[in-house]
Amino acid sequence: MATPSKKTSTTSPQASKRALPRDPSSEVPSKRKNPAPQLPLVQSSGPFVEGSIVRISMENFLTYDICEVSPGPHLNMIIGANGTGKSSIVCAICLGLAGKPAFMGRADKVGFFVKRGCSRGMVEIELFRASGNLVITREIDVAKNQSFWFINKKSTTQKVVEEQVAALNIQVGNLCQFLPQDKVGEFAKLSKIELLEATEKSIGPPEMHRYHCELKNFREKEKQLETSCKEKTEYLQKMVQRNERYKQDVERFYERKRHLDLIEMLEAKRPWVEYENVRQEYEEVKLVRDRVKEEVRKLKEGQIPITRRIEEMENERHNLEARIKEKATDIKEASQKCKQKQDVIERKDKHIEEIQQALTVKQNEELDRQRRISNTRKMIEDLQNELKTTENCENLQPQIDAITNDLRRIQDEKALCEGEIIDKRRERETLEKEKKSVDDHIVRFDNLMNQKEDKLRQRFRDTYDAVLWLRSNRDKFKQRVCEPIMLTVRDNKKLRVNAVIAPKSSYADKAPSRSLNELKQYGFFSYLRELFDAPDPVMSYLCCQYHIHEVPVGTEKTRERIERVIQETRLKQIYTAEEKYVVKTSFYSNKIISSNTSLKVAQFLTVTVDLEQRRHLEEQLKEISRKLQAVDSRLIALRETSKHLEHKDNELRQKKKELLERKTKKRQLEQKISSKLGSLKLMEQDTCNLEEEERKASTKIKEINVQKAKLVTELTNLIKICTSLHIQKVDLILQNTTVISEKNKLESDYMAASSQLRLTEQHFIELDENRQRLLQKCKELMKRARQVCNLGAEQTLPQEYQTQVPTIPNGHNSSLPMVFQDLPNTLDEIDALLTEERSRASCFTGLNPTIVQEYTKREEEIEQLTEELKGKKVELDQYRENISQVKERWLNPLKELVEKINEKFSNFFSSMQCAGEVDLHTENEEDYDKYGIRIRVKFRSSTQLHELTPHHQSGGERSVSTMLYLMALQELNRCPFRVVDEINQGMDPINERRVFEMVVNTACKENTSQYFFITPKLLQNLPYSEKMTVLFVYNGPHMLEPNRWNLKAFQRRRRRITFTQPSQ
């Protein structure tokens, strides 16, 4: 049996924490700088279940440098004083198995779990698996707040880790399986619904929670379908009722429409009757036209012989004219050839002239080249003379350098002057800000005293009245009394206030026992006395009574090194920006004991008034005004200096520019001379031989003259041919004149016979025009009739609407509607019937076509809604059938599971002489999202069973109920391990002992999952089991180094001591 260790004294600042592995003879994996807490293990027997934790390894994690824990397969008791690192092991399990940092209730970022001062941390969890253990490693990077995952030393992703953990049924986010210290109170706050969900995930079959989710989804969709069907049914009824109201109006509308249709039919037949009348007139005109056409044909046949003779004479005339044209063409061709020869001769003359002109141009170019050469040589000579004159000028570079140096010096002076102007402006702005600040401060000082007195009156009325009394009774005191009053004064007003008497000898200027320079290395920057002002008697009393001249004030650096500061400086009292530290020495063990408290927010000294400071501010205001005047005077002088330097700078720049222009003139002259010499060389190379050119031109002219003589001979022969052709053409013209005379005589006879033909044709034309007019009118009437009947040009009526198919003048077929045979056939009868029907139709008033459209549209919607409603009802029946099937598969196993939990839970409570039960609770059997597990408990016989809530039971009762519920799940649980952290802290000793016995008996049974029970203390004489594994977490300044820990050696030493005691 193992017992808890006693709490050690205050941990040394240099001590860190470690745990040894299970094997007592094994060594720490690597040597570390600092001592660490050790976890001696009591090894248990029994196999691990699938997913149990075999090993937990931590490095730079929370309180640990390095620690490795090897838990047993059954109950694991982790015991240690507060702050030693028990909950750090719980955090390592959660984070190592891909749990969320926020679930621990400590921090929301994983980087906060790395030990302070370290950049990286590591957690490694080894899980038992029959096929081979699973090692999950999580490395944490503080700077990036990121995690790097490894499975069996191979890099992987968090998602893969989560899948592997889920496959082993590990749920670190389920309070029924994993209950960290900061979440113990939240278990009791779980609603019945949340508790049911956590229990399903923890001990139910894998499909139970899935069935529950499916039921909730099916029920939600069933509700939606029911609502939809109800809404559609109501809407359908409204639509049917509305159509019934408008049914009579719709019937009247259609009665009126029948009259309008008959009117439309009469209006459609009337154009057809008009068309038939015009068509008959057209047929009569057509018969007369055909008879006149036959007469015209006979007259034309009598003129055919005359026409044939005229055509023969015309053909002969055409032949003669064709021969005349041929001769004219030949004459034209001969004339063109003559013209071409003349043009060639002219081109030869022009060619000779061009040769002569080209020779003249070359002669002129040669003369111009000689002239340009002469001019270029003269220009070169002038430039060389000018260059010689320029070379005699003095060297200008020293003058340019001197001016450059002067410019640089002036620029430096300008920069200094402008910099000083800027500094003076900034100084002036600073002084103005200081002046405004001092003015505002003086105004605030004038108001601070009233604020202070108001605050004193509101908070401490007696003290305020005492201050007023003191101001009117100062002559009654021998020495000075400081406000607010500190002495206990009693007068006739019965006022009572706190007061003290300042020491006779002043302590206000007493030097501290230790120089501040010695303490600066720890982050101290001042003593408390130097941080505020007070009248000399008050300061003297504070130094005498509270030793404020000996109390140092530190920074954040001091707070970070506070343990080292306490050990090395031996100071009694220390202040930082947020905390106060008091250090004492134990009378028994001579150990240093320190305590720290957070500083309160300032309340009474936030308003201070210092008359000496106000006077100092007035003097400061005068000094600032004097400085402002001096700065303004200096600014005026500096601006004048800057203006003078600017003017001098411009003069020097102009002078330097002129010297540079003189210096570059020589280079420009040399470049011009070089350019002209190059041009001269090119012109001298470009020479021309005039004698050779004249000889070539003379040779070409002689050749051209020979060609001209040959062309003149050819031209003479062509002129002779042209004359012969003109004689032949005149003969043909005389023959053509004779033929034309005979033709004119025949045409005169023909015209006399044609006169009668023209009169007959005129009559025919008039008849034909009348026919065309009637035909056009028929077409227009036909078109209008088709338009009335809404027929296209080529469209015919359906067969059921046709009675006869008459032939019409344009050759097309037209069809009269069948209903036309029942209507009148004359225009007068049609007009009379139209008037009657229009009168009847006008009797139907107040009818709106929109109502009929809406009626028809609603009929369509009613039909569509009926179909949709039928489909929705079918879908609703399917969902109800699915719900019935899934409900049977979910609810019956769930009830059996809850009965088992209730049986074990009730037995646990009965063994404690209390009562408790667990049941499946719901208000409506069909609301599957409202199902929950209700826990009801009774700790006193005089009370009734009450539901477990965060408010009705005490903290200890909630802890007992939570622990017993988890124990009821233990034997039913299908999860590989359970973690409970410090759940026994709120229990009374009796309940704690009973609960502990139940935990041992339940968790140490065969075939149960692994159990982690974390507690800082245990009662004495508790029962323990051989299957338990007890892990102690030690912590203190006298811990051994890891390399010196040897449990076997400790046991041998203990046995020697035990053997030697009887002899003593």
Side-chain angles (χ1 to χ4, degrees):
M1 182 178 73
T3 58
S5 64
K6 295 182 180 179
K7 185 176 180 180
T8 61
S9 59
T10 304
T11 306
S12 172
Q14 292 85 2
S16 61
K17 299 174 184 147
R18 274 186 197 84
L20 287 178
R22 176 184 297 186
D23 186 0
S25 62
S26 63
E27 297 181 356
V28 176
S30 60
K31 189 174 181 180
R32 300 297 177 210
K33 296 185 294 183
N34 301 327
Q38 326 265 324
L39 297 183
L41 306 178
V42 180
Q43 188 170 4
S44 65
S45 61
F48 287 94
V49 299
E50 191 84 1
S52 297
I53 299 175
V54 178
R55 179 175 57 86
I56 306 168
S57 179
M58 296 165 283
E59 183 176 344
N60 295 331
F61 186 79
L62 289 175
T63 58
Y64 293 107
D65 287 337
I66 267 198
C67 179
E68 185 171 302
V69 181
S70 299
H74 297 292
L75 176 61
N76 291 273
M77 301 288 295
I78 302 178
I79 306 172
N82 288 329
T84 55
K86 303 184 301 301
S87 297
S88 299
I89 300 175
V90 178
C91 294
I93 295 173
C94 178
L95 297 180
L97 296 176
K100 300 294 187 294
F103 179 73
M104 304 303 302
R106 292 194 173 197
D108 57 351
K109 294 183 178 179
V110 71
F112 291 153
F113 289 86
V114 177
K115 187 174 182 179
R116 180 177 294 179
C118 299
S119 61
R120 296 178 71 88
M122 185 273 291
V123 176
E124 187 171 272
I125 308 293
E126 183 175 354
L127 301 176
F128 176 79
R129 203 165 55 176
S131 59
N133 287 2
L134 181 70
V135 180
I136 299 174
T137 307
R138 182 174 190 170
E139 294 184 358
I140 305 170
D141 191 326
V142 177
K144 298 180 180 178
N145 192 41
Q146 289 183 347
S147 297
F148 303 95
W149 296 90
F150 301 87
I151 293 181
N152 295 332
K153 304 302 180 181
K154 295 181 180 180
S155 179
T156 185
T157 62
Q158 183 174 351
K159 184 177 180 181
V160 175
V161 174
E162 291 174 349
E163 293 173 353
Q164 293 281 354
V165 170
L168 295 172
N169 197 33
I170 298 173
Q171 306 169 21
V172 293
N174 190 341
L175 293 181
C176 289
Q177 179 178 346
F178 196 92
L179 190 62
Q181 178 181 353
D182 296 323
K183 296 287 183 177
V184 171
E186 292 188 13
F187 185 88
K189 297 179 183 178
L190 287 177
S191 65
K192 296 187 285 293
I193 299 171
E194 293 171 340
L195 184 59
L196 172 60
E197 183 177 353
T199 303
E200 286 177 337
K201 292 179 179 178
S202 178
I203 65 172
E207 67 276 3
M208 178 176 286
H209 181 65
R210 177 167 56 82
Y211 286 155
H212 192 185
C213 293
E214 287 180 2
L215 276 175
K216 289 189 283 186
N217 293 334
F218 287 158
R219 177 55 182 162
E220 183 64 26
K221 292 179 180 178
E222 182 188 17
K223 289 179 179 179
Q224 294 175 0
L225 286 172
E226 288 175 348
T227 303
S228 178
C229 289
K230 183 178 179 181
E231 291 175 352
K232 289 183 182 296
T233 303
E234 293 175 354
Y235 184 64
L236 181 61
Q237 292 174 354
K238 291 179 181 179
M239 297 279 283
V240 172
Q241 293 172 2
R242 191 175 300 173
N243 267 15
E244 286 296 327
R245 289 198 299 270
Y246 292 110
K247 186 174 182 181
Q248 186 176 0
D249 292 340
V250 172
E251 290 177 353
R252 293 178 68 244
F253 176 84
Y254 281 114
E255 179 66 23
R256 178 175 176 271
K257 188 174 184 302
R258 282 192 289 273
H259 290 290
L260 294 177
D261 290 344
L262 180 56
I263 292 171
E264 184 179 357
M265 195 62 66
L266 289 169
E267 290 176 346
K269 183 173 182 179
R270 195 176 191 282
W272 290 101
V273 173
E274 292 179 356
Y275 161 76
E276 184 62 24
N277 294 337
V278 175
R279 188 186 66 80
Q280 292 176 2
E281 184 180 357
Y282 166 79
E283 292 295 336
E284 294 174 0
V285 172
K286 184 180 178 184
L287 291 174
V288 177
R289 169 189 168 275
D290 292 341
R291 288 196 299 268
V292 175
K293 184 177 181 182
E294 182 64 21
E295 293 179 6
V296 170
R297 184 184 62 78
K298 292 177 179 179
L299 289 172
K300 287 183 178 180
E301 289 177 353
Q303 290 183 334
I304 290 174
I306 301 173
T307 305
R308 189 177 293 112
R309 179 60 183 163
I310 292 172
E311 289 176 356
E312 291 175 355
M313 299 300 292
E314 183 67 21
N315 291 334
E316 187 178 358
R317 185 182 65 83
H318 282 307
N319 292 332
L320 290 171
E321 288 180 354
R323 292 175 63 188
I324 291 170
K325 287 180 180 179
E326 289 177 0
K327 295 300 178 182
T329 302
D330 294 340
I331 292 169
K332 185 177 179 181
E333 290 177 357
S335 300
Q336 287 178 351
K337 289 180 181 180
C338 292
K339 183 68 170 61
Q340 289 174 358
K341 296 298 180 181
Q342 290 175 352
D343 293 340
V344 172
I345 293 170
E346 290 177 358
R347 283 198 297 271
K348 296 297 181 181
D349 293 337
K350 189 174 181 181
H351 191 191
I352 292 171
E353 185 179 352
E354 289 175 354
I355 293 172
Q356 292 174 348
Q357 288 178 355
L359 179 61
T360 304
V361 168
K362 289 183 178 180
Q363 291 173 349
N364 293 335
E365 287 178 352
E366 181 63 21
L367 293 174
D368 183 62
R369 186 179 69 84
Q370 294 295 333
R371 185 172 60 255
R372 284 189 285 110
I373 290 172
S374 175
N375 292 336
T376 302
R377 287 175 177 169
K378 185 177 181 182
M379 288 176 66
I380 292 171
E381 185 178 355
D382 294 340
L383 290 172
Q384 288 175 345
N385 293 333
E386 187 176 358
L387 178 62
K388 292 177 182 178
T389 305
T390 304
E391 290 175 351
N392 296 330
C393 295
E394 67 278 5
N395 190 5
L396 301 177
Q397 188 60 38
Q399 297 181 31
I400 295 172
D401 294 341
I403 292 174
T404 303
N405 293 332
D406 291 343
L407 280 171
R408 192 178 295 112
R409 178 178 55 76
I410 289 174
Q411 289 292 333
D412 294 341
E413 292 178 2
K414 280 177 64 179
L416 291 174
C417 185
E418 290 174 356
E420 190 173 356
I421 288 173
I422 293 171
D423 293 340
K424 290 299 178 182
R425 286 176 180 170
R426 291 176 180 170
E427 183 179 355
R428 190 177 190 281
E429 292 174 358
T430 304
L431 289 171
E432 287 177 348
K433 290 180 181 178
E434 290 179 359
K435 182 178 179 182
K436 185 176 183 302
S437 176
V438 171
D439 287 336
D440 295 341
H441 206 166
I442 291 173
V443 173
R444 287 197 299 272
F445 262 110
D446 293 339
N447 298 326
L448 282 178
M449 182 58 74
N450 294 332
Q451 295 178 15
K452 182 179 178 182
E453 291 178 0
D454 290 340
K455 190 170 185 179
L456 182 64
R457 179 175 55 81
Q458 294 170 6
R459 300 297 299 273
F460 307 102
R461 182 72 188 192
D462 284 356
T463 305
Y464 177 74
D465 293 340
V467 169
L468 297 180
W469 180 88
L470 174 63
R471 291 175 180 174
S472 59
N473 295 278
R474 286 190 183 276
D475 55 342
K476 297 181 181 179
F477 296 92
K478 295 181 180 180
Q479 298 294 333
R480 177 185 176 188
V481 180
C482 299
E483 296 180 3
I485 192 165
M486 297 289 182
L487 294 174
T488 302
V489 179
R490 288 186 179 89
D491 62 355
N492 55 355
K493 292 190 176 184
K494 303 297 182 180
L495 297 176
R496 188 174 185 83
V497 296
N498 296 327
V500 294
I501 301 175
K504 295 181 179 179
S505 59
S506 177
Y507 283 81
D509 298 325
K510 186 176 181 180
S513 60
R514 185 177 296 183
S515 173
L516 185 63
N517 293 330
E518 298 178 10
L519 302 177
K520 284 186 177 179
Q521 60 176 321
Y522 303 107
F524 294 107
F525 64 91
S526 176
Y527 282 101
L528 189 60
R529 179 179 63 183
E530 277 69 36
L531 296 183
F532 65 93
D533 294 326
D536 188 74
V538 177
M539 185 67 77
S540 177
Y541 172 78
L542 293 175
C543 291
C544 177
Q545 184 68 23
Y546 299 106
H547 305 286
I548 61 173
H549 62 294
E550 299 283 358
V551 178
V553 181
T555 60
E556 184 67 19
K557 177 181 177 182
T558 308
R559 191 176 68 82
E560 293 175 355
R561 306 179 180 182
I562 190 64
E563 294 183 0
R564 177 185 169 194
V565 172
I566 292 172
Q567 292 293 330
E568 296 183 0
T569 61
R570 301 289 180 175
L571 292 168
K572 302 294 185 183
Q573 200 170 6
I574 298 170
Y575 279 86
T576 63
E578 299 178 353
E579 294 178 330
K580 170 188 174 183
Y581 297 86
V582 178
V583 183
K584 296 179 181 179
T585 304
S586 174
F587 292 103
Y588 302 100
S589 62
N590 203 28
K591 299 290 184 179
I592 297 174
I593 302 173
S594 64
S595 63
N596 64 308
T597 57
S598 299
L599 297 180
K600 297 180 180 179
V601 180
Q603 298 179 5
F604 309 125
L605 300 180
T606 56
V607 180
T608 58
V609 179
D610 191 342
L611 298 178
E612 181 65 23
Q613 187 176 1
R614 189 182 188 285
R615 184 186 59 76
H616 176 70
L617 288 173
E618 291 175 349
E619 294 178 356
Q620 187 177 355
L621 184 63
K622 293 178 182 179
E623 180 65 20
I624 290 171
S625 300
R626 185 187 61 78
K627 289 181 179 179
L628 276 173
Q629 292 178 357
V631 169
D632 290 339
S633 301
R634 181 58 181 164
L635 275 173
I636 293 171
L638 288 172
R639 289 191 183 102
E640 291 296 329
T641 303
S642 177
K643 189 183 297 184
H644 175 71
L645 291 173
E646 183 69 26
H647 179 69
K648 191 172 181 181
D649 180 76
N650 292 336
E651 290 179 349
L652 289 173
R653 287 181 183 276
Q654 183 62 29
K655 188 174 180 181
K656 182 178 179 181
K657 182 179 178 183
E658 293 174 356
L659 290 174
L660 288 173
E661 288 176 353
R662 291 173 58 189
K663 182 179 178 181
T664 57
K665 186 175 181 181
K666 178 181 176 182
R667 190 180 304 112
Q668 293 173 354
L669 289 173
E670 290 175 347
Q671 291 175 354
K672 287 182 180 179
I673 291 171
S674 176
S675 176
K676 293 298 179 183
L677 287 173
S679 301
L680 179 62
K681 186 176 181 182
L682 291 175
M683 287 188 291
E684 288 176 347
Q685 291 176 353
D686 189 16
T687 59
C688 181
N689 191 349
L690 288 177
E691 293 179 356
E692 181 65 22
E693 293 295 332
E694 290 174 356
R695 185 184 61 78
K696 290 179 180 179
S698 177
T699 303
K700 289 180 180 179
I701 291 171
K702 288 179 181 180
E703 292 176 356
I704 292 170
N705 286 330
V706 173
Q707 295 173 3
K708 279 177 66 180
K710 184 178 180 181
L711 289 172
V712 170
T713 303
E714 293 176 356
L715 178 59
T716 304
N717 295 330
L718 287 173
I719 292 172
K720 292 178 181 179
I721 294 170
C722 187
T723 302
S724 174
L725 290 173
H726 274 288
I727 294 170
Q728 295 174 10
K729 179 182 177 183
V730 172
D731 186 32
L732 290 172
I733 290 172
L734 292 173
Q735 294 177 17
N736 186 42
T737 302
T738 304
V739 171
I740 290 172
S741 177
E742 292 178 359
K743 178 189 172 187
N744 289 337
K745 184 177 180 300
L746 290 172
E747 287 177 350
S748 177
D749 296 337
Y750 177 82
M751 291 300 293
S754 300
S755 177
Q756 186 178 358
L757 177 61
R758 282 197 299 272
L759 293 174
T760 306
E761 286 180 344
Q762 183 65 32
H763 187 209
F764 170 78
I765 290 171
E766 291 174 358
L767 291 172
D768 190 61
E769 287 177 355
N770 191 19
R771 183 190 67 84
Q772 290 290 340
R773 180 181 60 79
L774 292 173
L775 177 61
Q776 184 64 31
K777 188 173 181 180
C778 285
K779 289 181 179 180
E780 290 176 359
L781 291 173
M782 172 64 77
K783 182 178 180 182
R784 187 158 66 88
R786 285 182 170 274
Q787 288 176 350
V788 172
C789 294
N790 295 323
L791 295 175
E794 301 296 333
Q795 186 178 1
T796 59
L797 286 176
Q799 186 65 32
E800 60 268 18
Y801 291 104
Q802 299 179 6
T803 56
Q804 55 183 347
V805 186
T807 302
I808 57 174
N810 58 3
H812 295 284
N813 292 333
S814 176
S815 59
L816 293 175
M818 183 181 295
V819 293
F820 285 180
Q821 64 186 355
D822 299 328
L823 298 177
N825 294 321
T826 64
L827 293 177
D828 294 338
E829 292 175 349
I830 289 174
D831 291 340
L833 187 56
L834 271 173
T835 303
E836 181 182 353
E837 290 299 323
R838 285 170 181 164
S839 298
R840 291 179 178 178
S842 63
C843 296
F844 295 92
T845 58
L847 297 179
N848 189 356
T850 307
I851 294 176
V852 180
Q853 295 175 1
E854 292 177 355
Y855 181 87
T856 306
K857 184 178 179 181
R858 277 194 294 271
E859 286 291 333
E860 294 175 355
E861 289 184 5
I862 288 170
E863 183 178 357
Q864 183 179 356
L865 277 174
T866 304
E867 293 297 326
E868 290 181 3
L869 191 58
K870 186 185 297 182
K872 291 287 184 183
K873 288 181 179 179
V874 172
E875 187 177 359
L876 181 60
D877 293 339
Q878 291 176 352
Y879 270 109
R880 285 173 177 168
E881 184 179 355
N882 292 337
I883 288 173
S884 177
Q885 295 174 357
V886 177
K887 180 181 178 181
E888 184 178 356
R889 292 197 293 267
W890 170 73
L891 189 57
N892 294 335
L894 178 61
K895 287 181 178 179
E896 295 175 2
L897 185 65
V898 174
E899 285 297 327
K900 292 179 182 179
I901 297 172
N902 179 50
E903 180 183 354
K904 296 184 180 298
F905 187 74
S906 300
N907 292 338
F908 288 146
F909 262 87
S910 298
S911 66
M912 296 175 59
Q913 287 77 44
C914 299
E917 66 177 30
V918 177
D919 61 356
L920 187 65
H921 179 265
T922 180
E923 296 178 358
N924 184 0
E925 188 177 352
E926 300 301 325
D927 291 339
Y928 304 105
D929 55 343
K930 297 296 191 299
Y931 274 78
I933 287 182
R934 181 174 60 180
I935 301 176
R936 297 195 296 166
V937 295
K938 181 177 73 171
F939 288 89
R940 288 166 288 280
S941 60
S942 59
T943 61
Q944 298 294 325
L945 286 170
H946 290 285
E947 186 175 347
L948 181 65
T949 64
H951 312 294
H952 191 275
Q953 289 82 12
S954 66
E957 291 172 346
R958 290 198 303 272
S959 298
V960 170
S961 302
T962 301
M963 193 65 189
L964 294 184
Y965 184 79
L966 296 179
M967 294 306 303
L969 303 182
Q970 177 68 14
E971 294 183 4
L972 303 173
N973 195 7
R974 60 186 180 87
C975 63
F977 66 86
R978 177 175 287 108
V979 177
V980 179
D981 190 1
E982 297 192 15
I983 197 172
N984 60 334
Q985 292 306 294
M987 301 181 188
D988 59 78
I990 296 175
N991 287 333
E992 184 177 354
R993 184 177 298 276
R994 291 173 177 173
V995 169
F996 184 82
E997 292 176 1
M998 295 178 189
V999 171
V1000 173
N1001 294 333
T1002 304
C1004 293
K1005 291 181 179 179
E1006 292 293 337
N1007 300 322
T1008 59
S1009 60
Q1010 196 176 32
Y1011 203 99
F1012 291 87
F1013 188 87
I1014 294 91
T1015 178
K1017 65 178 181 62
L1018 287 176
L1019 300 174
Q1020 296 183 355
N1021 300 321
L1022 292 173
Y1024 293 87
S1025 171
E1026 291 297 330
K1027 294 182 179 181
M1028 290 174 57
T1029 301
V1030 183
L1031 300 101
F1032 294 94
V1033 182
Y1034 288 110
N1035 173 352
H1038 304 296
M1039 295 298 297
L1040 290 176
E1041 294 285 344
N1043 56 3
R1044 295 174 57 191
W1045 182 269
N1046 191 330
L1047 187 58
K1048 290 183 178 180
F1050 299 158
Q1051 293 172 345
R1052 288 195 300 269
R1053 186 184 305 166
R1054 181 61 183 171
R1055 283 196 294 271
R1056 286 198 302 269
I1057 294 173
T1058 303
F1059 293 152
T1060 56
Q1061 282 179 351
S1063 62
Q1064 295 175 355

